[in-house]
Amino acid sequence: MVDNCSPDSVARSVREYEGVTRKRGIGELIECLRINDQPNVVASFGEDAAVIRQDDNALLLAADGIWSKLMEADPFWAGYCAVLVNVHDIAAMGGTPLAMVDVLSFTSSTLRNEVTRGMQAASKQFCVPIVGGHLHPDTPYSVIDVAILGTVKMDDVIYSSTAEAGDRVVAAVDLDGRVHPSCILNWDSVTMKSAETVRKQIGVMQELARRHLVTAGKDISNPGVIGTLGMLLEVSKKGAAIDLDKIPRPDLGAHSITFEHWVRMYPGMGFILTCRDENTAEVCRLFEEAGMTARAIGEVNDSSSLSVSYRGVTTSVFDLRQEGIMRIIDGAKIV
């Protein structure tokens, strides 16, 4: 049970969290880049990876960057996360990651060595090679960006935009970890695990895709579990009601963190999914077999509002009809 939990306080902390507010510029940027009528592009903006049709298969293409503040705090962890978040993007779509390229800018060779050491460690652990990229050896700043290519059968793709009213919301997180010593908003459940363990956890998403057990999914990213669900609902044009007490969490006291802190954390391995009621138990079982904790935490509805409740008290976190998190727009309207 969550102690001293206020739905209003949790909602406010999520809305104001930088991991959420930093997403607001996405919609405006998309309007500058969007090109319509691309017949082989099945899905793009708003998904964890673009879906490009290639006969009966889909190529999954994604890219992710790492906050400069993390580069400064811990370049090894920044390099590791640059690989980790990209692997998660492909996994969230039900895909198999194939290879990555990187763009690295650095101010010192010491920082470069630590970043690349972290990248190599994650690349080896997840068995996804880094095969090229671009180097800026003389910049006044340090940044690491990675792009990744994956593949999945066209009929098996897991989208973010396909949740339906009545679906269960499932959160799956590996709770066997620690608050990362260099970043208090990162939950590290991966660096201490074997390659076999993390690949098995990624493999759950591939099995869910093959068996068509989920209706939508995303990896839990910087906005945390509630913020990530909000992003999924935004592109699905749906709402949801969730019970805060059902969100998987470690022993918060043992890790000296509050519940409000936990729901804003980026987990080393975590996914938010929607599925039909009859598939919920099987979805949770597959994650549990891989060493993760998975629970149904709520239900999708047609309200376009994400609300949270605790002990009979309910409050709205996001009114996605009025103002989206990413503010992805179609014409003049938020979608």
Side-chain angles (χ1 to χ4, degrees), residues 84-137:
L84 177 66
V85 296
N86 276 279
V87 170
H88 279 176
D89 282 342
I90 300 302
M93 307 286 288
T96 299
L98 298 177
M100 297 170 286
V101 294
D102 68 278
V103 179
L104 174 60
S105 306
F106 61 89
T107 56
S108 74
S109 58
T110 300
L111 184 145
R112 175 204 63 199
N113 292 342
E114 281 300 290
V115 170
T116 53
R117 191 170 67 88
M119 293 170 66
Q120 184 186 46
S123 173
K124 182 177 180 180
Q125 190 178 19
F126 286 93
C127 196
V128 186
I130 300 168
V131 296
H134 184 76
L135 178 67
H136 290 295

Side-chain angles (χ1 to χ4, degrees), residues 157-169:
V157 178
I158 298 173
Y159 297 95
S160 300
S161 54
T162 47
E164 294 290 343
D167 288 346
R168 298 295 183 188
V169 177

Side-chain angles (χ1 to χ4, degrees), residues 48 69 191 244 291:
D48 285 311
K69 62 178 66 176
T191 59
L244 294 176

